[in-house]
Amino acid sequence: MSWTDERIDTLKTMWEAGQTASQIADALGDGVSRNAVIGKAHRLGLQARPSPVKTSEPEAVAPVAAAPAPAPVVAAAPPPPPAPEPVEESETVTAPEPVRAPQPILRSVGPGGFLRQAPGEQQPPIAPAPPRRLVPAKPAPEIAGKTSLLDLNDRICKWPLGHPGEPDFHFCGDKVNPGFPYCVQHCGHAYQAQLPRRDRRPPPPLPFGGPRVR
DNA sequence: CCCTGATTCGC
DNA sequence: GCGAATCAGG
């Protein structure tokens, strides 16, 4: 699979949202490695993320004895203010725009790179209208610490807890029983000995609506 | 060992 | 441009 616009977009969005390269690679699927993600991210110019390997530049650390204090120059220049980007207010009248309250909608990025609809948001599909700035949605507090869709990978248990759409829906997240999508405990739930046909319960309650039929 | 991102370099 | 291999810190 190549880097289509959508996939690049997913990469950008997730990268800027702080997702790890592994998570992004997972979401993109199609055998994309985290190396591929990282490589692409860098080529795209995305970068500057706290790297575990610190590039401690030889910061010309003045010897302790040599430089006792920073020269008390006349006017001590204050640190350059972060200068929050001024909102581009162009044409339109300076209407206060009271209506548009930017609700922090939490969307998750699906494996195909599409944006999933948030629980309360049934109707309006993705608005193609470009928002001024993409503010990476911070995970809702309910999900904090939980294993979300984006956390899934090959080695953690994908057993769902709760139901999709519920605010605290998440996944087990334990380490998998090697070779299975679930941890040992949930494998016990997922895989059970075959019962005689007549004794079998009608609705096989499989998570996710069951495995893909393909 | 597991994870992370950065970099290199052959393709 | 791509990404596996490699590096290096947590």
Side-chain angles (χ1 to χ4, degrees), chain A residues 177-213:
Chain A
N177 186 10
F180 295 89
Y182 309 119
C183 66
V184 176
Q185 185 184 8
H186 285 132
C187 272
H189 290 269
Y191 306 100
Q192 298 183 15
Q194 195 70 274
L195 293 175
R197 208 175 266 271
R198 50 181 303 275
D199 294 329
R200 219 178 297 168
R201 287 264 70 113
L206 284 182
F208 271 146
R212 301 218 172 201
V213 192

PDB file of all heavy atoms in Angstrom, chain A residues 177-213:
ATOM      1  N   ASN A 177      -2.705 -13.875  25.050  1.00  0.00           N
ATOM      2  CA  ASN A 177      -2.274 -15.252  25.032  1.00  0.00           C
ATOM      3  C   ASN A 177      -1.631 -15.431  23.660  1.00  0.00           C
ATOM      4  O   ASN A 177      -2.306 -15.298  22.646  1.00  0.00           O
ATOM      5  CB  ASN A 177      -3.512 -16.151  25.178  1.00  0.00           C
ATOM      6  CG  ASN A 177      -3.145 -17.607  25.312  1.00  0.00           C
ATOM      7  OD1 ASN A 177      -1.975 -17.932  25.487  1.00  0.00           O
ATOM      8  ND2 ASN A 177      -4.140 -18.463  25.220  1.00  0.00           N
ATOM      9  N   PRO A 178      -0.334 -15.674  23.623  1.00  0.00           N
ATOM     10  CA  PRO A 178       0.378 -15.686  22.336  1.00  0.00           C
ATOM     11  C   PRO A 178      -0.343 -16.488  21.263  1.00  0.00           C
ATOM     12  O   PRO A 178      -0.701 -17.634  21.483  1.00  0.00           O
ATOM     13  CB  PRO A 178       1.713 -16.338  22.695  1.00  0.00           C
ATOM     14  CG  PRO A 178       1.898 -15.989  24.131  1.00  0.00           C
ATOM     15  CD  PRO A 178       0.527 -15.942  24.747  1.00  0.00           C
ATOM     16  N   GLY A 179      -0.570 -15.871  20.163  1.00  0.00           N
ATOM     17  CA  GLY A 179      -1.265 -16.544  19.071  1.00  0.00           C
ATOM     18  C   GLY A 179      -2.748 -16.251  19.055  1.00  0.00           C
ATOM     19  O   GLY A 179      -3.449 -16.642  18.128  1.00  0.00           O
ATOM     20  N   PHE A 180      -3.227 -15.561  20.067  1.00  0.00           N
ATOM     21  CA  PHE A 180      -4.647 -15.233  20.138  1.00  0.00           C
ATOM     22  C   PHE A 180      -4.815 -13.729  20.277  1.00  0.00           C
ATOM     23  O   PHE A 180      -3.914 -13.028  20.716  1.00  0.00           O
ATOM     24  CB  PHE A 180      -5.297 -15.943  21.314  1.00  0.00           C
ATOM     25  CG  PHE A 180      -5.305 -17.448  21.178  1.00  0.00           C
ATOM     26  CD1 PHE A 180      -4.244 -18.196  21.650  1.00  0.00           C
ATOM     27  CD2 PHE A 180      -6.364 -18.088  20.569  1.00  0.00           C
ATOM     28  CE1 PHE A 180      -4.240 -19.576  21.533  1.00  0.00           C
ATOM     29  CE2 PHE A 180      -6.372 -19.465  20.445  1.00  0.00           C
ATOM     30  CZ  PHE A 180      -5.302 -20.215  20.921  1.00  0.00           C
ATOM     31  N   PRO A 181      -5.996 -13.264  19.918  1.00  0.00           N
ATOM     32  CA  PRO A 181      -6.239 -11.822  20.036  1.00  0.00           C
ATOM     33  C   PRO A 181      -6.593 -11.403  21.455  1.00  0.00           C
ATOM     34  O   PRO A 181      -6.771 -10.223  21.725  1.00  0.00           O
ATOM     35  CB  PRO A 181      -7.418 -11.593  19.094  1.00  0.00           C
ATOM     36  CG  PRO A 181      -8.122 -12.910  19.041  1.00  0.00           C
ATOM     37  CD  PRO A 181      -7.077 -13.961  19.218  1.00  0.00           C
ATOM     38  N   TYR A 182      -6.753 -12.367  22.347  1.00  0.00           N
ATOM     39  CA  TYR A 182      -7.157 -12.027  23.706  1.00  0.00           C
ATOM     40  C   TYR A 182      -6.143 -12.535  24.724  1.00  0.00           C
ATOM     41  O   TYR A 182      -5.308 -13.383  24.432  1.00  0.00           O
ATOM     42  CB  TYR A 182      -8.530 -12.645  24.035  1.00  0.00           C
ATOM     43  CG  TYR A 182      -9.590 -12.368  23.012  1.00  0.00           C
ATOM     44  CD1 TYR A 182     -10.202 -13.398  22.324  1.00  0.00           C
ATOM     45  CD2 TYR A 182      -9.979 -11.061  22.735  1.00  0.00           C
ATOM     46  CE1 TYR A 182     -11.174 -13.158  21.383  1.00  0.00           C
ATOM     47  CE2 TYR A 182     -10.949 -10.812  21.789  1.00  0.00           C
ATOM     48  CZ  TYR A 182     -11.542 -11.856  21.108  1.00  0.00           C
ATOM     49  OH  TYR A 182     -12.499 -11.592  20.177  1.00  0.00           O
ATOM     50  N   CYS A 183      -6.257 -12.007  25.901  1.00  0.00           N
ATOM     51  CA  CYS A 183      -5.438 -12.508  26.988  1.00  0.00           C
ATOM     52  C   CYS A 183      -5.936 -13.895  27.373  1.00  0.00           C
ATOM     53  O   CYS A 183      -6.970 -14.364  26.905  1.00  0.00           O
ATOM     54  CB  CYS A 183      -5.508 -11.561  28.190  1.00  0.00           C
ATOM     55  SG  CYS A 183      -7.147 -11.479  28.956  1.00  0.00           S
ATOM     56  N   VAL A 184      -5.194 -14.532  28.235  1.00  0.00           N
ATOM     57  CA  VAL A 184      -5.536 -15.900  28.605  1.00  0.00           C
ATOM     58  C   VAL A 184      -6.947 -15.968  29.182  1.00  0.00           C
ATOM     59  O   VAL A 184      -7.754 -16.828  28.811  1.00  0.00           O
ATOM     60  CB  VAL A 184      -4.529 -16.441  29.638  1.00  0.00           C
ATOM     61  CG1 VAL A 184      -4.942 -17.825  30.097  1.00  0.00           C
ATOM     62  CG2 VAL A 184      -3.133 -16.478  29.042  1.00  0.00           C
ATOM     63  N   GLN A 185      -7.228 -15.030  30.046  1.00  0.00           N
ATOM     64  CA  GLN A 185      -8.530 -15.062  30.704  1.00  0.00           C
ATOM     65  C   GLN A 185      -9.666 -14.949  29.697  1.00  0.00           C
ATOM     66  O   GLN A 185     -10.622 -15.704  29.733  1.00  0.00           O
ATOM     67  CB  GLN A 185      -8.623 -13.918  31.713  1.00  0.00           C
ATOM     68  CG  GLN A 185      -9.921 -13.969  32.511  1.00  0.00           C
ATOM     69  CD  GLN A 185     -10.043 -12.777  33.433  1.00  0.00           C
ATOM     70  OE1 GLN A 185      -9.229 -11.847  33.357  1.00  0.00           O
ATOM     71  NE2 GLN A 185     -11.046 -12.797  34.291  1.00  0.00           N
ATOM     72  N   HIS A 186      -9.529 -13.981  28.782  1.00  0.00           N
ATOM     73  CA  HIS A 186     -10.624 -13.755  27.840  1.00  0.00           C
ATOM     74  C   HIS A 186     -10.656 -14.813  26.744  1.00  0.00           C
ATOM     75  O   HIS A 186     -11.678 -15.034  26.123  1.00  0.00           O
ATOM     76  CB  HIS A 186     -10.519 -12.348  27.260  1.00  0.00           C
ATOM     77  CG  HIS A 186     -10.960 -11.306  28.254  1.00  0.00           C
ATOM     78  ND1 HIS A 186     -10.231 -10.175  28.513  1.00  0.00           N
ATOM     79  CD2 HIS A 186     -12.039 -11.273  29.071  1.00  0.00           C
ATOM     80  CE1 HIS A 186     -10.848  -9.462  29.445  1.00  0.00           C
ATOM     81  NE2 HIS A 186     -11.946 -10.104  29.806  1.00  0.00           N
ATOM     82  N   CYS A 187      -9.515 -15.460  26.516  1.00  0.00           N
ATOM     83  CA  CYS A 187      -9.540 -16.596  25.598  1.00  0.00           C
ATOM     84  C   CYS A 187     -10.484 -17.653  26.161  1.00  0.00           C
ATOM     85  O   CYS A 187     -11.185 -18.353  25.430  1.00  0.00           O
ATOM     86  CB  CYS A 187      -8.136 -17.177  25.424  1.00  0.00           C
ATOM     87  SG  CYS A 187      -7.196 -16.388  24.114  1.00  0.00           S
ATOM     88  N   GLY A 188     -10.484 -17.719  27.501  1.00  0.00           N
ATOM     89  CA  GLY A 188     -11.378 -18.679  28.145  1.00  0.00           C
ATOM     90  C   GLY A 188     -12.826 -18.381  27.846  1.00  0.00           C
ATOM     91  O   GLY A 188     -13.669 -19.282  27.763  1.00  0.00           O
ATOM     92  N   HIS A 189     -13.130 -17.098  27.679  1.00  0.00           N
ATOM     93  CA  HIS A 189     -14.504 -16.724  27.336  1.00  0.00           C
ATOM     94  C   HIS A 189     -14.773 -16.924  25.856  1.00  0.00           C
ATOM     95  O   HIS A 189     -15.851 -17.333  25.451  1.00  0.00           O
ATOM     96  CB  HIS A 189     -14.762 -15.253  27.691  1.00  0.00           C
ATOM     97  CG  HIS A 189     -14.802 -15.014  29.152  1.00  0.00           C
ATOM     98  ND1 HIS A 189     -15.961 -15.078  29.906  1.00  0.00           N
ATOM     99  CD2 HIS A 189     -13.811 -14.718  30.030  1.00  0.00           C
ATOM    100  CE1 HIS A 189     -15.676 -14.824  31.172  1.00  0.00           C
ATOM    101  NE2 HIS A 189     -14.384 -14.591  31.277  1.00  0.00           N
ATOM    102  N   ALA A 190     -13.753 -16.603  25.079  1.00  0.00           N
ATOM    103  CA  ALA A 190     -13.966 -16.579  23.634  1.00  0.00           C
ATOM    104  C   ALA A 190     -13.992 -17.975  23.026  1.00  0.00           C
ATOM    105  O   ALA A 190     -14.751 -18.236  22.102  1.00  0.00           O
ATOM    106  CB  ALA A 190     -12.877 -15.742  22.961  1.00  0.00           C
ATOM    107  N   TYR A 191     -13.150 -18.817  23.551  1.00  0.00           N
ATOM    108  CA  TYR A 191     -13.056 -20.147  22.975  1.00  0.00           C
ATOM    109  C   TYR A 191     -13.525 -21.185  23.987  1.00  0.00           C
ATOM    110  O   TYR A 191     -12.895 -21.392  25.007  1.00  0.00           O
ATOM    111  CB  TYR A 191     -11.617 -20.450  22.570  1.00  0.00           C
ATOM    112  CG  TYR A 191     -11.047 -19.394  21.659  1.00  0.00           C
ATOM    113  CD1 TYR A 191     -10.214 -18.407  22.163  1.00  0.00           C
ATOM    114  CD2 TYR A 191     -11.372 -19.356  20.313  1.00  0.00           C
ATOM    115  CE1 TYR A 191      -9.691 -17.435  21.339  1.00  0.00           C
ATOM    116  CE2 TYR A 191     -10.862 -18.379  19.476  1.00  0.00           C
ATOM    117  CZ  TYR A 191     -10.023 -17.429  19.998  1.00  0.00           C
ATOM    118  OH  TYR A 191      -9.513 -16.461  19.192  1.00  0.00           O
ATOM    119  N   GLN A 192     -14.646 -21.801  23.655  1.00  0.00           N
ATOM    120  CA  GLN A 192     -15.194 -22.800  24.561  1.00  0.00           C
ATOM    121  C   GLN A 192     -15.463 -24.088  23.804  1.00  0.00           C
ATOM    122  O   GLN A 192     -15.687 -24.090  22.595  1.00  0.00           O
ATOM    123  CB  GLN A 192     -16.485 -22.277  25.200  1.00  0.00           C
ATOM    124  CG  GLN A 192     -16.229 -21.025  26.028  1.00  0.00           C
ATOM    125  CD  GLN A 192     -17.480 -20.532  26.721  1.00  0.00           C
ATOM    126  OE1 GLN A 192     -18.459 -21.267  26.817  1.00  0.00           O
ATOM    127  NE2 GLN A 192     -17.445 -19.297  27.180  1.00  0.00           N
ATOM    128  N   ALA A 193     -15.460 -25.148  24.584  1.00  0.00           N
ATOM    129  CA  ALA A 193     -15.658 -26.447  23.973  1.00  0.00           C
ATOM    130  C   ALA A 193     -17.000 -26.508  23.274  1.00  0.00           C
ATOM    131  O   ALA A 193     -17.987 -25.921  23.726  1.00  0.00           O
ATOM    132  CB  ALA A 193     -15.582 -27.544  25.043  1.00  0.00           C
ATOM    133  N   GLN A 194     -16.990 -27.172  22.165  1.00  0.00           N
ATOM    134  CA  GLN A 194     -18.207 -27.292  21.369  1.00  0.00           C
ATOM    135  C   GLN A 194     -19.237 -28.112  22.142  1.00  0.00           C
ATOM    136  O   GLN A 194     -18.938 -29.179  22.654  1.00  0.00           O
ATOM    137  CB  GLN A 194     -17.850 -27.986  20.049  1.00  0.00           C
ATOM    138  CG  GLN A 194     -18.915 -27.860  18.986  1.00  0.00           C
ATOM    139  CD  GLN A 194     -19.040 -26.447  18.435  1.00  0.00           C
ATOM    140  OE1 GLN A 194     -19.745 -25.635  18.991  1.00  0.00           O
ATOM    141  NE2 GLN A 194     -18.353 -26.161  17.355  1.00  0.00           N
ATOM    142  N   LEU A 195     -20.448 -27.582  22.207  1.00  0.00           N
ATOM    143  CA  LEU A 195     -21.522 -28.324  22.877  1.00  0.00           C
ATOM    144  C   LEU A 195     -22.365 -29.028  21.823  1.00  0.00           C
ATOM    145  O   LEU A 195     -22.373 -28.616  20.665  1.00  0.00           O
ATOM    146  CB  LEU A 195     -22.404 -27.356  23.665  1.00  0.00           C
ATOM    147  CG  LEU A 195     -21.723 -26.686  24.862  1.00  0.00           C
ATOM    148  CD1 LEU A 195     -22.668 -25.667  25.479  1.00  0.00           C
ATOM    149  CD2 LEU A 195     -21.298 -27.731  25.883  1.00  0.00           C
ATOM    150  N   PRO A 196     -23.064 -30.063  22.261  1.00  0.00           N
ATOM    151  CA  PRO A 196     -23.988 -30.708  21.332  1.00  0.00           C
ATOM    152  C   PRO A 196     -24.958 -29.678  20.781  1.00  0.00           C
ATOM    153  O   PRO A 196     -25.380 -28.763  21.490  1.00  0.00           O
ATOM    154  CB  PRO A 196     -24.711 -31.727  22.205  1.00  0.00           C
ATOM    155  CG  PRO A 196     -23.760 -32.006  23.309  1.00  0.00           C
ATOM    156  CD  PRO A 196     -22.970 -30.748  23.520  1.00  0.00           C
ATOM    157  N   ARG A 197     -25.287 -29.856  19.539  1.00  0.00           N
ATOM    158  CA  ARG A 197     -26.080 -28.864  18.828  1.00  0.00           C
ATOM    159  C   ARG A 197     -27.351 -28.493  19.589  1.00  0.00           C
ATOM    160  O   ARG A 197     -27.727 -27.337  19.674  1.00  0.00           O
ATOM    161  CB  ARG A 197     -26.438 -29.399  17.450  1.00  0.00           C
ATOM    162  CG  ARG A 197     -26.635 -28.340  16.415  1.00  0.00           C
ATOM    163  CD  ARG A 197     -26.852 -28.988  15.078  1.00  0.00           C
ATOM    164  NE  ARG A 197     -25.588 -29.117  14.336  1.00  0.00           N
ATOM    165  CZ  ARG A 197     -25.133 -28.162  13.525  1.00  0.00           C
ATOM    166  NH1 ARG A 197     -25.800 -27.059  13.377  1.00  0.00           N
ATOM    167  NH2 ARG A 197     -24.016 -28.339  12.876  1.00  0.00           N
ATOM    168  N   ARG A 198     -27.999 -29.489  20.132  1.00  0.00           N
ATOM    169  CA  ARG A 198     -29.303 -29.227  20.743  1.00  0.00           C
ATOM    170  C   ARG A 198     -29.151 -28.476  22.063  1.00  0.00           C
ATOM    171  O   ARG A 198     -30.073 -27.858  22.557  1.00  0.00           O
ATOM    172  CB  ARG A 198     -30.052 -30.549  20.973  1.00  0.00           C
ATOM    173  CG  ARG A 198     -29.215 -31.604  21.692  1.00  0.00           C
ATOM    174  CD  ARG A 198     -30.035 -32.880  21.858  1.00  0.00           C
ATOM    175  NE  ARG A 198     -31.265 -32.609  22.584  1.00  0.00           N
ATOM    176  CZ  ARG A 198     -31.321 -32.587  23.925  1.00  0.00           C
ATOM    177  NH1 ARG A 198     -30.245 -32.836  24.635  1.00  0.00           N
ATOM    178  NH2 ARG A 198     -32.474 -32.349  24.524  1.00  0.00           N
ATOM    179  N   ASP A 199     -27.960 -28.539  22.632  1.00  0.00           N
ATOM    180  CA  ASP A 199     -27.771 -27.877  23.916  1.00  0.00           C
ATOM    181  C   ASP A 199     -27.175 -26.482  23.758  1.00  0.00           C
ATOM    182  O   ASP A 199     -26.977 -25.776  24.726  1.00  0.00           O
ATOM    183  CB  ASP A 199     -26.851 -28.711  24.803  1.00  0.00           C
ATOM    184  CG  ASP A 199     -27.520 -30.022  25.159  1.00  0.00           C
ATOM    185  OD1 ASP A 199     -28.766 -30.048  25.255  1.00  0.00           O
ATOM    186  OD2 ASP A 199     -26.803 -31.010  25.307  1.00  0.00           O
ATOM    187  N   ARG A 200     -26.911 -26.155  22.526  1.00  0.00           N
ATOM    188  CA  ARG A 200     -26.196 -24.901  22.312  1.00  0.00           C
ATOM    189  C   ARG A 200     -27.101 -23.684  22.498  1.00  0.00           C
ATOM    190  O   ARG A 200     -28.265 -23.713  22.108  1.00  0.00           O
ATOM    191  CB  ARG A 200     -25.587 -24.863  20.913  1.00  0.00           C
ATOM    192  CG  ARG A 200     -24.220 -24.218  20.910  1.00  0.00           C
ATOM    193  CD  ARG A 200     -23.643 -24.256  19.523  1.00  0.00           C
ATOM    194  NE  ARG A 200     -23.431 -25.645  19.053  1.00  0.00           N
ATOM    195  CZ  ARG A 200     -23.149 -25.925  17.787  1.00  0.00           C
ATOM    196  NH1 ARG A 200     -23.048 -24.982  16.904  1.00  0.00           N
ATOM    197  NH2 ARG A 200     -22.971 -27.172  17.429  1.00  0.00           N
ATOM    198  N   ARG A 201     -26.572 -22.684  23.064  1.00  0.00           N
ATOM    199  CA  ARG A 201     -27.313 -21.423  23.221  1.00  0.00           C
ATOM    200  C   ARG A 201     -27.441 -20.763  21.855  1.00  0.00           C
ATOM    201  O   ARG A 201     -26.488 -20.775  21.075  1.00  0.00           O
ATOM    202  CB  ARG A 201     -26.574 -20.500  24.170  1.00  0.00           C
ATOM    203  CG  ARG A 201     -26.665 -20.946  25.626  1.00  0.00           C
ATOM    204  CD  ARG A 201     -27.795 -20.202  26.324  1.00  0.00           C
ATOM    205  NE  ARG A 201     -29.102 -20.670  25.822  1.00  0.00           N
ATOM    206  CZ  ARG A 201     -29.952 -21.349  26.588  1.00  0.00           C
ATOM    207  NH1 ARG A 201     -29.652 -21.631  27.831  1.00  0.00           N
ATOM    208  NH2 ARG A 201     -31.109 -21.715  26.115  1.00  0.00           N
ATOM    209  N   PRO A 202     -28.589 -20.225  21.565  1.00  0.00           N
ATOM    210  CA  PRO A 202     -28.830 -19.590  20.259  1.00  0.00           C
ATOM    211  C   PRO A 202     -27.879 -18.445  19.930  1.00  0.00           C
ATOM    212  O   PRO A 202     -27.188 -18.522  18.936  1.00  0.00           O
ATOM    213  CB  PRO A 202     -30.274 -19.093  20.386  1.00  0.00           C
ATOM    214  CG  PRO A 202     -30.871 -19.870  21.509  1.00  0.00           C
ATOM    215  CD  PRO A 202     -29.745 -20.257  22.424  1.00  0.00           C
ATOM    216  N   PRO A 203     -27.864 -17.399  20.719  1.00  0.00           N
ATOM    217  CA  PRO A 203     -27.052 -16.258  20.283  1.00  0.00           C
ATOM    218  C   PRO A 203     -25.613 -16.384  20.729  1.00  0.00           C
ATOM    219  O   PRO A 203     -25.331 -16.254  21.905  1.00  0.00           O
ATOM    220  CB  PRO A 203     -27.730 -15.072  20.971  1.00  0.00           C
ATOM    221  CG  PRO A 203     -28.462 -15.665  22.156  1.00  0.00           C
ATOM    222  CD  PRO A 203     -28.475 -17.154  22.014  1.00  0.00           C
ATOM    223  N   PRO A 204     -24.737 -16.656  19.817  1.00  0.00           N
ATOM    224  CA  PRO A 204     -23.313 -16.694  20.159  1.00  0.00           C
ATOM    225  C   PRO A 204     -22.805 -15.294  20.428  1.00  0.00           C
ATOM    226  O   PRO A 204     -22.619 -14.526  19.478  1.00  0.00           O
ATOM    227  CB  PRO A 204     -22.658 -17.291  18.908  1.00  0.00           C
ATOM    228  CG  PRO A 204     -23.667 -17.183  17.820  1.00  0.00           C
ATOM    229  CD  PRO A 204     -25.006 -16.930  18.423  1.00  0.00           C
ATOM    230  N   PRO A 205     -22.627 -14.943  21.653  1.00  0.00           N
ATOM    231  CA  PRO A 205     -22.270 -13.556  21.997  1.00  0.00           C
ATOM    232  C   PRO A 205     -20.811 -13.267  21.756  1.00  0.00           C
ATOM    233  O   PRO A 205     -20.014 -13.348  22.662  1.00  0.00           O
ATOM    234  CB  PRO A 205     -22.607 -13.498  23.485  1.00  0.00           C
ATOM    235  CG  PRO A 205     -22.442 -14.912  23.967  1.00  0.00           C
ATOM    236  CD  PRO A 205     -22.659 -15.827  22.793  1.00  0.00           C
ATOM    237  N   LEU A 206     -20.497 -13.014  20.546  1.00  0.00           N
ATOM    238  CA  LEU A 206     -19.115 -12.681  20.253  1.00  0.00           C
ATOM    239  C   LEU A 206     -18.929 -11.177  20.305  1.00  0.00           C
ATOM    240  O   LEU A 206     -19.809 -10.423  19.915  1.00  0.00           O
ATOM    241  CB  LEU A 206     -18.721 -13.204  18.867  1.00  0.00           C
ATOM    242  CG  LEU A 206     -18.476 -14.694  18.813  1.00  0.00           C
ATOM    243  CD1 LEU A 206     -18.048 -15.078  17.422  1.00  0.00           C
ATOM    244  CD2 LEU A 206     -17.426 -15.090  19.835  1.00  0.00           C
ATOM    245  N   PRO A 207     -17.815 -10.772  20.801  1.00  0.00           N
ATOM    246  CA  PRO A 207     -17.525  -9.340  20.824  1.00  0.00           C
ATOM    247  C   PRO A 207     -17.449  -8.820  19.413  1.00  0.00           C
ATOM    248  O   PRO A 207     -17.165  -9.555  18.487  1.00  0.00           O
ATOM    249  CB  PRO A 207     -16.161  -9.270  21.500  1.00  0.00           C
ATOM    250  CG  PRO A 207     -15.572 -10.619  21.285  1.00  0.00           C
ATOM    251  CD  PRO A 207     -16.721 -11.583  21.259  1.00  0.00           C
ATOM    252  N   PHE A 208     -17.707  -7.540  19.281  1.00  0.00           N
ATOM    253  CA  PHE A 208     -17.534  -6.916  17.965  1.00  0.00           C
ATOM    254  C   PHE A 208     -18.521  -7.411  16.943  1.00  0.00           C
ATOM    255  O   PHE A 208     -18.381  -7.116  15.771  1.00  0.00           O
ATOM    256  CB  PHE A 208     -16.163  -7.241  17.386  1.00  0.00           C
ATOM    257  CG  PHE A 208     -15.149  -6.260  17.784  1.00  0.00           C
ATOM    258  CD1 PHE A 208     -13.845  -6.642  17.998  1.00  0.00           C
ATOM    259  CD2 PHE A 208     -15.505  -4.941  17.956  1.00  0.00           C
ATOM    260  CE1 PHE A 208     -12.914  -5.722  18.358  1.00  0.00           C
ATOM    261  CE2 PHE A 208     -14.566  -4.028  18.321  1.00  0.00           C
ATOM    262  CZ  PHE A 208     -13.270  -4.424  18.530  1.00  0.00           C
ATOM    263  N   GLY A 209     -19.530  -8.157  17.376  1.00  0.00           N
ATOM    264  CA  GLY A 209     -20.408  -8.720  16.379  1.00  0.00           C
ATOM    265  C   GLY A 209     -19.739  -9.862  15.658  1.00  0.00           C
ATOM    266  O   GLY A 209     -20.147 -10.270  14.590  1.00  0.00           O
ATOM    267  N   GLY A 210     -18.735 -10.383  16.284  1.00  0.00           N
ATOM    268  CA  GLY A 210     -18.124 -11.588  15.754  1.00  0.00           C
ATOM    269  C   GLY A 210     -17.053 -11.318  14.733  1.00  0.00           C
ATOM    270  O   GLY A 210     -16.828 -10.175  14.337  1.00  0.00           O
ATOM    271  N   PRO A 211     -16.385 -12.379  14.372  1.00  0.00           N
ATOM    272  CA  PRO A 211     -15.298 -12.263  13.391  1.00  0.00           C
ATOM    273  C   PRO A 211     -15.843 -11.919  12.020  1.00  0.00           C
ATOM    274  O   PRO A 211     -16.998 -12.166  11.723  1.00  0.00           O
ATOM    275  CB  PRO A 211     -14.682 -13.666  13.380  1.00  0.00           C
ATOM    276  CG  PRO A 211     -15.772 -14.562  13.870  1.00  0.00           C
ATOM    277  CD  PRO A 211     -16.618 -13.743  14.807  1.00  0.00           C
ATOM    278  N   ARG A 212     -15.012 -11.347  11.254  1.00  0.00           N
ATOM    279  CA  ARG A 212     -15.434 -10.932   9.914  1.00  0.00           C
ATOM    280  C   ARG A 212     -15.757 -12.149   9.065  1.00  0.00           C
ATOM    281  O   ARG A 212     -15.025 -13.130   9.048  1.00  0.00           O
ATOM    282  CB  ARG A 212     -14.324 -10.157   9.231  1.00  0.00           C
ATOM    283  CG  ARG A 212     -13.938  -8.924  10.006  1.00  0.00           C
ATOM    284  CD  ARG A 212     -13.650  -7.819   9.031  1.00  0.00           C
ATOM    285  NE  ARG A 212     -13.469  -6.560   9.775  1.00  0.00           N
ATOM    286  CZ  ARG A 212     -13.612  -5.394   9.196  1.00  0.00           C
ATOM    287  NH1 ARG A 212     -13.940  -5.319   7.937  1.00  0.00           N
ATOM    288  NH2 ARG A 212     -13.437  -4.301   9.876  1.00  0.00           N
ATOM    289  N   VAL A 213     -16.838 -12.072   8.378  1.00  0.00           N
ATOM    290  CA  VAL A 213     -17.196 -13.162   7.484  1.00  0.00           C
ATOM    291  C   VAL A 213     -16.712 -12.818   6.092  1.00  0.00           C
ATOM    292  O   VAL A 213     -17.277 -11.941   5.446  1.00  0.00           O
ATOM    293  CB  VAL A 213     -18.721 -13.360   7.467  1.00  0.00           C
ATOM    294  CG1 VAL A 213     -19.058 -14.670   6.789  1.00  0.00           C
ATOM    295  CG2 VAL A 213     -19.270 -13.304   8.878  1.00  0.00           C
TER     296      VAL A 213
END
